[in-house]
Amino acid sequence: MHEKQGLIGNALVDMYAKCGQPTKAQEAFDQLLNRDVVSWTTLIAGYVEQDHGIKALDYFEQMQHEGVLPNPVTFVCILKACGIIGEIVKGQEIHAKVFKEGLIESSIVVGSAVVDMYAKCGWLKKAQEVFDTLETRDIIAWNSLISGYAQQNYGSEALTYFAKMQLDGVSPNAITFISSLKACGSIRFIDMGQKIHAEINRQGLLHDSCIGNALIDMH
């Protein structure tokens, strides 16, 4: 019976979190008799999705204080939280933990989250170092690095990794195109910008308002 109540409780926390109501999710969480790693991670993820990085970090600390060990999903969420608020010290601490547990090698999602955290904190050299150690790189890892360089106005580096990504057999998505267009604009590389524009048109992505805005900004 307790197990069934726990499943229902976790489902409520998850539902409110995914509906963008972290306060309601927290209320449901507070009523749980037994909080496992799924409960805590669901609540933390809800705050992260609403860009409440500080709240997410607070609950991460409480979770460990109550003796609940984080799992790979928890680590991914908390790395995102660190990136949101630029909390590089905590981010480095989490990086050290996931490295020690071998999660960077075994989990492509965790490895990509570490790259993303460093890129969002502006530590591009460290982001690239971690990226270079990844045995498998997904679109998130590539986008994190390309976006990081573009946001810091290193247009040439962003476009270099945009080209390398495609050579590696990874197809760009809307986020990749937006970052690459920003990179083209920053270094006034109109030829590449037009090629990207043509590829966006070929993929039927011109209806995306964010891509449309990026094209206008680039031109």
Side-chain angles (χ1 to χ4, degrees):
M1 185 66 179
H2 286 304
E3 183 179 350
K4 187 176 181 180
Q5 288 175 335
L7 289 171
I8 293 171
N10 285 346
L12 277 171
V13 176
D14 186 53
M15 183 271 291
Y16 282 122
K18 285 179 176 170
C19 288
Q21 297 189 51
T23 303
K24 285 282 188 182
Q26 186 179 327
E27 288 175 6
F29 175 84
D30 290 340
Q31 292 176 23
L32 294 176
L33 296 176
N34 296 303
R35 300 161 183 165
D36 58 13
V37 66
V38 175
S39 314
W40 285 100
T41 302
T42 301
L43 185 65
I44 290 167
Y47 278 115
V48 170
E49 287 304 313
Q50 296 300 311
D51 289 339
H52 296 313
I54 294 174
K55 277 278 191 182
L57 285 170
D58 286 343
Y59 277 99
F60 180 66
E61 294 301 325
Q62 287 185 42
M63 175 182 119
Q64 294 175 97
H65 184 71
E66 290 195 15
V68 180
L69 296 176
N71 62 19
V73 179
T74 321
F75 284 128
V76 169
C77 290
I78 216 63
L79 284 163
K80 286 182 181 178
C82 291
I84 289 168
I85 60 175
E87 180 50 77
I88 190 64
V89 175
K90 175 58 72 173
Q92 287 177 300
E93 182 184 312
I94 301 301
H95 180 195
K97 283 185 179 180
V98 296
F99 179 80
K100 186 177 180 181
E101 294 185 20
L103 290 174
I104 292 180
E105 294 81 5
S106 65
S107 172
I108 185 173
V109 180
V110 173
S112 296
V114 174
V115 174
D116 188 59
M117 181 274 295
Y118 279 121
K120 281 189 167 65
C121 288
W123 284 38
L124 297 175
K125 185 176 180 181
K126 191 65 179 178
Q128 186 177 326
E129 283 177 9
V130 177
F131 178 87
D132 290 340
T133 67
L134 300 179
E135 292 184 11
T136 306
R137 297 153 184 165
D138 63 2
I139 187 68
I140 296 172
W142 285 102
N143 280 347
S144 297
L145 201 60
I146 293 167
S147 175
Y149 277 121
Q151 291 298 327
Q152 296 295 318
N153 291 320
Y154 292 108
S156 295
E157 288 81 355
L159 292 174
T160 295
Y161 277 93
F162 175 64
K164 285 182 177 180
M165 181 186 86
Q166 294 172 91
L167 288 173
D168 208 40
V170 179
S171 298
N173 61 13
I175 295 171
T176 325
F177 286 131
I178 290 167
S179 297
S180 299
L181 287 167
K182 181 177 177 62
C184 290
S186 71
I187 59 174
R188 302 189 178 188
F189 196 173
I190 188 62
D191 288 346
M192 177 59 74
Q194 289 175 328
K195 286 179 182 177
I196 294 171
H197 187 173
E199 180 60 23
I200 289 168
N201 187 42
R202 190 186 70 79
Q203 292 192 23
L205 295 173
L206 285 175
H207 67 278
D208 187 308
S209 61
C210 292
I211 288 180
N213 290 338
L215 278 165
I216 292 169
D217 187 58
M218 185 273 294
H219 284 297

